[in-house]
Amino acid sequence: MRAARAAVAGWSREPHAERERVLRAFAGALEEDAGGLAAAISLETGKPPWEARAEVRSMVAKVEISIRAHADRCAPIPGGPAVTRFRPHGVVGVLGPFNYPGHLANGHIVPALLAGNAVVFKPSEQAPSVADRYGAAWLAAGLPAGAFNLLQGGRTTGEALVDHEGLDALCLTGSAATGLAIHRRLAGRPRVLLALEMGGNNPLVVGAVGDARAAAYHAALSAYATAGQRCSCARRLIVPIGPAGDAVLEELARMAGRIRVGPPDAQPEPFMGPVISARVAESLVALQEGLEARGARPLVRLRHLASGTGLVSPGLLDVTAVADREDEEVFGPLLQAIRVRDLDAAIEEANHTAYGLAAGLLSDDPAEYERFAAGVRAGVVNWNQQLTGASSAAAFGGVGLSGNHRPSAYLAADYCSYAVASIELPELRMPAEIAPGFDL
């Protein structure tokens, strides 16, 4: 924290073009180490190589997107003698997750550094070598000493960072439980900007679709990508009662049963790697058993494929008959199907959550989407697209337990600096009108 504080003055006063140059050099360093970085992601998170390589590409692309976003969102705003400019906060702490150990933290760090802040980054303790390679890329880019600081450690290390009096802003991508704990911990410190990007109990609604196979495929991508460990993954699949809903569930059950699961080095390459740990795998099995005991009907059972590993098969449960379903983010490939009578009931069920990150509709009817988009409460709303489909060129964030109205991705520029409004005149002179009550 002292190193970051010492670096802020010099780094923030660098010409903006110089900060852009360093960021582009960082993108080049990531590209040079793309193979090693992707291998580290696969090793520590279990992602298949195709997905790890995609994460590295997203990290590289973040630089140019952030440069465009900063120019769009943080350029001086003229208004006659009034002008608004944007200044960095100072020292920004970043707490990163395990599921995208490079990309998601990078989404906070790149715009923070571009704005002139110094960063202290505590990555997930479950992906330390990814963070180490990430830090090496910043060194290779020629970033001044102290502008980026890598702080390895677990929960107590994160708590020490949150509690540090030198902190000016904190960015988290993580669970709702972690975000709420940090929110409470920062109570009474309004000067510390807090940007929370948390999870979701995300609904994917099936409406009037003519192609049940296409609907099932998009549902499978939404629920099982990254072994269900994306914050935007579908957790609830809401389908209409009747033959149309049955057809989608039948296709989805068939697909789920045929998805290749395996370690990153498996051949042929799997679609889905393991969840992050054997403990998580065991908890998913226990959750499924608990739902079955309460009336859930298994369409495809999630299975723990290898003891001592995080390898599990995708699961699909019909939980329509389960009363008082828990409103929680199940961070794994266990999708819960719910049958409803019509679109109004589907929207009501979709909103039956304290979260509000992502929601989606699969429907061939534009009028259905118009009703859905107007009625659902979420920060990301997709139509005929997998729920995990998101663009860094758009906003990304949610409401409720999913975030604190600080969307990231393209709008990360908004929380990486603060506005300074000025009225500026080049010469001091007496005004034409003197205020009443002055005897000059």
Side-chain angles (χ1 to χ4, degrees):
M1 293 295 287
R2 285 195 295 270
R5 178 62 60 196
V8 166
W11 176 241
S12 65
R13 291 191 182 111
E14 288 284 358
H16 190 79
E18 171 62 11
R19 295 204 295 272
E20 287 186 2
R21 185 197 67 78
V22 172
L23 262 65
R24 289 188 169 114
F26 164 72
L30 287 180
E31 288 184 307
E32 287 183 14
D33 189 37
L37 187 54
I41 291 170
S42 289
L43 176 68
E44 292 186 324
T45 71
K47 284 186 181 181
W50 68 266
E51 193 174 5
R53 291 192 297 268
E55 179 169 353
V56 177
R57 289 195 297 272
S58 295
M59 294 167 69
V60 174
K62 180 63 70 175
V63 169
E64 290 302 327
I65 289 172
S66 296
I67 289 172
R68 292 201 304 271
H70 187 92
D72 179 26
R73 309 292 295 182
C74 301
I77 303 171
V83 62
T84 300
R85 299 184 182 89
F86 296 88
R87 296 188 59 185
H89 298 292
V91 177
V92 176
V94 175
L95 300 176
F98 72 81
N99 58 335
Y100 274 85
H103 173 55
L104 290 177
N106 189 57
H108 298 301
I109 293 167
V110 167
L113 288 171
L114 181 61
N117 299 285
V119 169
V120 178
F121 171 40
K122 196 216 79 76
S124 167
E125 60 271 29
Q126 292 163 310
S129 74
V130 174
D132 193 53
R133 298 188 88 101
Y134 179 77
W138 283 115
L139 289 177
L143 190 70
F148 173 85
N149 306 271
L150 177 59
L151 180 65
Q152 300 276 17
R155 176 174 176 171
T156 55
T157 305
E159 290 173 346
L161 176 58
V162 173
D163 290 344
H164 201 285
E165 285 302 316
L167 192 68
D168 296 308
L170 184 78
C171 304
L172 166 80
T173 300
S175 69
T178 300
L180 289 172
I182 291 171
H183 194 274
R184 288 191 292 268
R185 213 169 182 101
L186 288 174
R189 293 170 67 189
R191 74 172 191 82
V192 179
L193 178 131
L194 180 60
L196 297 176
E197 183 185 328
M198 302 183 287
N201 188 9
N202 307 309
L204 179 62
V205 173
V206 177
V209 295
D211 189 338
R213 186 165 175 259
Y217 179 69
H218 281 81
L221 292 177
S222 298
Y224 305 134
T226 318
Q229 296 175 122
R230 296 188 190 183
C231 57
S232 55
C233 275
R235 309 299 174 196
R236 295 173 290 149
L237 181 66
I238 304 169
V239 301
I241 296 170
D246 292 344
V248 172
L249 290 177
E250 287 167 9
E251 284 283 350
L252 179 56
R254 183 184 62 80
M255 289 181 189
R258 300 179 65 180
I259 286 175
R260 280 200 304 271
V261 181
D265 58 355
Q267 291 296 329
E269 193 171 2
F271 170 73
M272 207 176 87
V275 293
I276 194 62
S277 69
R279 180 185 60 79
V280 171
E282 291 161 1
S283 71
L284 290 168
V285 172
L287 175 63
Q288 176 179 248
E289 291 172 348
L291 287 168
E292 286 189 50
R294 294 167 55 198
R297 183 167 64 90
L299 305 179
V300 179
R301 276 197 175 91
L302 177 146
R303 293 178 295 118
H304 195 178
L305 300 177
S307 178
T309 76
L311 289 168
V312 295
S313 63
L316 176 61
L317 295 177
D318 184 338
V319 299
T320 308
V322 178
D324 299 323
R325 293 183 293 272
E326 287 84 359
D327 181 20
E328 61 180 307
E329 180 184 38
V330 179
F331 217 59
L334 183 60
L335 181 61
Q336 300 179 47
I338 303 164
R339 299 171 187 264
V340 296
R341 65 185 182 277
D342 54 26
L343 184 61
D344 288 335
I347 294 172
E348 182 180 354
E349 173 59 41
N351 287 335
H352 189 57
T353 177
Y355 294 89
L357 180 57
L361 175 70
L362 305 177
S363 173
D364 300 328
D365 185 349
E368 282 197 342
Y369 179 63
E370 186 176 349
R371 286 168 58 199
F372 180 79
V376 76
R377 181 170 169 78
V380 177
V381 180
N382 285 353
W383 181 24
N384 290 332
Q385 163 73 306
Q386 67 189 77
L387 209 56
T388 50
S391 170
S392 290
F396 185 85
V399 295
L401 289 183
S402 294
N404 66 330
H405 305 278
R406 296 275 192 273
S408 63
Y410 194 79
L411 297 189
D414 292 14
Y415 58 71
C416 288
S417 57
Y418 68 94
V420 177
S422 304
I423 297 176
E424 300 173 340
L425 298 171
E427 182 182 352
L428 179 63
R429 62 176 63 180
M430 290 293 293
E433 281 191 35
I434 303 300
F438 273 85
D439 185 3
L440 299 180

